[in-house]
Amino acid sequence: MNGIFSSSLGKKLIMSITGLFLMIFLLVHLTVNLMLLFGDGKLFNFAANFMATNQLIEVVEPVLAIGFIVHIIYASIITLLNQRTRPMGYIQTSSNGVTSWASKNMYILGGAIFIFLVIHLINFFWKIKFGEVATLSYDNGLTQMADTYSLVSGLFITYWWYDLIYIAGALLLGFHLSHGFWSAFQTLGWNNKIWIKRLEIIAYIYAIIIAIGFTIIPLYFLILK
Amino acid sequence: MNIKLKIWRQPNAKSKGRFETYPLNDVSSEMSFLEMLDYLNNSLIKDGKEPVAFEHDCREGICGSCGMYISGRPHGPQHRTTTCELRMREFKDGQTITIEPWRAAAFPVIKDLIVDRNAFDKIMQSGGFISINAGAAQDANSILVPKKNADEAFDSASCVGCGACVAACKNSSAMLFISAKVTHLAQFPQGRIEAEIRVKNMVAKMDELGFGGCTNTRACEAECPKGISISNIAKLNREFFVAKLKD
Ligand code: HEM
Ligand code: SF4
Ligand code: FES
């Protein structure tokens, strides 16, 4: 392991591992959020409550925060180092027909996702974790829990521009991951001539699930409620 | 056909270069791109001007010396073609063709379109070889190589070291070049002996010489005149991490 992270490949390995971890987190996050669309909120409240009180999640939460921080720090280091490699650019460049826009603009996409992330944390995470959320009782008062559903749906119903920010965030993530997904496997070395086509297709499927999944939630509240 | 050429002129490594525009008439569409430049240089010499310096040797796509950035792409618009193999029929009558040298911190311009690709040699010297005691050639069948390995080695060995991958990459990364060399040598029993030290040394040299890292944009693969695949880069990564984990 000696000196691995001072090499360009080692730094990129960190991007890949943190990226893969964040992608798994996104799937869990989306699954819980999709429960907002079913029923009167009871399902979502139970799920959110389960996540908030689960001991495993308590351990994973700081790991997740570290994952984000490390991903962002190394993204910045890698991008800065790479920018120094061409002091003088070309006056004309033409498309090669292969390179995707997302792959060339991962830091811009990531930076926009980061801005979204901060807004998102202030609005929901902070309020749920440290703020006052009204409690609700189910099963004739036997179960008491935070009414996260009202907090989330309230924001989405009251402020339309809020929904737009969320939709933009979802689309940005979709673009980031349309490249990031297969790129992470390539970085790890889990790729070859046959798998590259498969991984690219799976990447698009994953990116579309994330982008559409997170988009329909604000759309649902904006249009139907 | 009549064309206009916009070419980077730089008298030496220290001077600041600039673009010069030259009209060139009666260019045959059958000419290779380098023949067109010879034709331009003839007329420049006749006019008492300094000819455009460009690197070339084999003129048949095997030496890798003729790299230049033509109309926004390394080796010009045609897929899997070196500049010397490119024909003028790929261009239109009346077109302005921009010609720039490779741009990368690791490939400084020496003169006009010629860049110093010594960095590639230094990377090769750091590990791109197999150490053997040279003697009489041994029997061809004494070391067996599976067909699959031989084919993969052959594909990777077709890299001519032109530097188009570096020129195309937004990070000026030499990963495609190194991955071709590492994959080529790692396929043979003789090459496996030094495989771990080779990959570590070559990557360290690449980082040291000012090439960037890989962002997997695939620009290198798209522009490589020899069609070297980025699956080689995946193999390079595998070889590197496995070797490095043992340190
Ligand atoms: C939930 C959020 C995020 C997920 C799931 C995610 C996922 C990924 C994945 C899987 C990769 C590919 C890694 C590789 O090529 O080996 C990647 C690359 C990258 N990410 Fe993220 N990312 C997220 C947020 C961010 C943020 C906030 C930034 C902030 C700057 C960022 C910046 C980058 C950059 C610059 C790269 C490309 C690195 C390179 O190829 O050199 N990402 N991301
Ligand atoms: S990998 Fe392709 S583009 Fe790069 S040096 Fe070799 S032949 Fe040229
Ligand atoms: S002159 Fe040898 S490859 Fe073009």
Side-chain angles (χ1 to χ4, degrees):
Chain A
M1 292 285 285
N2 199 1
I4 187 170
F5 298 124
S6 58
S7 70
S8 58
L9 266 66
K11 293 194 189 78
K12 183 73 192 195
L13 177 66
I14 294 176
M15 291 304 293
S16 161
I17 293 171
T18 52
L20 283 168
F21 174 63
L22 293 177
M23 287 198 300
I24 296 170
F25 151 74
L26 278 183
L27 277 186
V28 177
H29 193 347
L30 179 62
T31 310
V32 174
N33 281 19
L34 284 176
M35 295 180 185
L36 283 161
L37 304 182
F38 300 101
D40 55 357
K42 187 176 172 186
L43 184 65
F44 178 73
N45 273 343
F46 270 81
N49 195 59
F50 172 77
M51 296 303 273
T53 50
N54 192 318
Q55 288 202 322
L56 179 71
I57 300 295
E58 237 166 80
V59 180
V60 173
E61 213 170 66
V63 179
L64 181 65
I66 293 167
F68 264 112
I69 293 167
V70 171
H71 190 79
I72 294 167
I73 290 176
Y74 270 84
S76 307
I77 295 174
I78 287 177
T79 308
L80 264 175
L81 288 176
N82 283 342
Q83 269 175 357
R84 294 200 199 142
T85 61
R86 181 162 293 142
M88 181 169 214
Y90 298 105
I91 59 158
Q92 189 187 351
T93 46
S94 314
S95 163
N96 58 35
V98 175
T99 302
S100 68
W101 181 86
S103 73
K104 286 193 286 184
N105 295 286
M106 289 297 273
Y107 196 66
I108 293 173
L109 286 168
I113 294 168
F114 177 69
I115 294 171
F116 168 77
L117 185 68
V118 173
I119 298 174
H120 180 60
L121 288 179
I122 294 171
N123 282 327
F124 292 133
F125 179 78
W126 204 258
K127 280 191 191 149
I128 293 165
K129 196 93 184 162
F130 306 109
E132 290 279 307
V133 180
T135 47
L136 202 70
S137 46
Y138 288 107
D139 306 331
N140 299 322
L142 283 177
T143 350
Q144 295 253 336
M145 63 178 67
D147 188 9
T148 321
Y149 179 82
S150 297
L151 170 77
V152 178
S153 60
L155 270 173
F156 280 152
I157 294 167
T158 325
Y159 308 103
W160 60 267
W161 45 270
Y162 225 85
D163 301 286
L164 293 191
I165 292 178
Y166 270 79
I167 293 168
L171 296 180
L172 287 167
L173 265 178
F175 276 116
H176 195 74
L177 301 175
S178 67
H179 173 72
F181 185 96
W182 76 264
S183 177
F185 289 91
Q186 166 79 6
T187 300
L188 285 176
W190 286 350
N191 207 350
N192 61 29
K193 276 183 188 154
I194 301 166
W195 271 92
I196 189 156
K197 293 183 203 97
R198 296 176 187 165
L199 283 173
E200 272 189 319
I201 293 169
I202 303 170
Y204 280 122
I205 295 172
Y206 177 86
I208 288 170
I209 290 174
I210 293 293
I212 294 187
F214 280 113
T215 297
I216 50 174
I217 296 162
L219 270 188
Y220 167 80
F221 288 106
L222 186 69
I223 295 168
L224 293 180
K225 297 273 164 160
Chain B
M1 55 201 276
N2 299 334
I3 52 170
K4 233 192 223 159
L5 296 162
K6 190 171 173 190
I7 303 179
W8 180 257
R9 301 304 308 264
Q10 182 174 335
N12 56 56
K14 297 241 159 54
S15 53
K16 255 191 82 180
R18 67 196 150 85
F19 281 95
E20 293 267 5
T21 309
Y22 307 98
L24 193 63
N25 295 340
D26 303 322
V27 174
S28 158
S29 62
E30 308 294 305
M31 279 179 180
S32 77
F33 200 82
L34 297 188
E35 279 165 345
M36 181 277 293
L37 286 177
D38 292 336
Y39 179 49
L40 167 75
N41 278 345
N42 272 343
S43 71
L44 287 179
I45 291 166
K46 259 190 222 143
D47 295 346
K49 291 186 190 144
E50 180 77 11
V52 177
F54 62 92
E55 206 183 339
H56 59 104
D57 186 14
C58 70
R59 297 212 177 195
E60 58 177 10
I62 55 169
C63 75
S65 64
C66 58
M68 51 187 88
Y69 211 76
I70 304 164
S71 288
R73 294 183 66 180
H75 294 295
Q78 205 181 20
H79 193 49
R80 291 207 185 171
T81 309
T82 54
T83 303
C84 56
E85 296 169 307
L86 182 66
R87 303 288 135 167
M88 291 312 292
R89 56 176 166 266
E90 300 301 325
F91 301 90
K92 288 194 233 33
D93 188 34
Q95 189 176 341
T96 300
I97 304 169
T98 313
I99 313 176
E100 303 172 71
W102 287 168
R103 298 289 189 196
F107 286 166
V109 174
I110 298 173
K111 185 175 181 180
D112 296 341
L113 301 173
I114 301 181
V115 298
D116 184 354
R117 282 178 299 124
N118 222 321
F120 268 10
D121 298 332
K122 288 186 185 144
I123 291 173
M124 289 306 278
Q125 283 156 10
S126 74
F129 51 80
I130 290 172
S131 310
I132 49 157
N133 290 322
Q138 55 184 319
D139 184 73
N141 292 327
S142 62
I143 300 174
L144 297 177
V145 177
K147 178 81 168 82
K148 186 178 157 286
N149 293 48
D151 286 348
E152 251 183 70
F154 192 82
D155 284 349
S156 320
S158 64
C159 162
V160 292
C162 65
C165 42
V166 175
C169 176
K170 77 177 179 67
N171 309 327
S172 308
S173 177
M175 287 283 278
L176 194 67
F177 168 73
I178 295 178
S179 72
K181 304 305 170 194
V182 164
T183 308
H184 165 201
L185 297 174
Q187 300 297 337
F188 301 115
Q190 302 96 312
R192 290 271 14 135
I193 298 164
E194 290 159 301
E196 291 185 355
I197 186 83
R198 173 183 309 119
V199 71
K200 284 189 284 191
N201 284 350
M202 289 181 89
V203 169
K205 203 68 186 171
M206 168 183 82
D207 289 346
E208 178 199 317
L209 293 171
F211 294 100
C214 183
T215 311
N216 301 332
T217 68
R218 306 184 77 169
C220 52
E221 165 184 79
E223 301 293 10
C224 172
K226 299 296 154 189
I228 303 289
S229 155
I230 61 157
S231 65
N232 286 320
I233 296 181
K235 178 157 176 76
L236 167 73
N237 294 348
R238 257 190 330 266
E239 295 263 338
F240 180 80
F241 294 138
V242 169
K244 220 42 184 163
L245 279 175
K246 296 182 190 163
D247 279 2

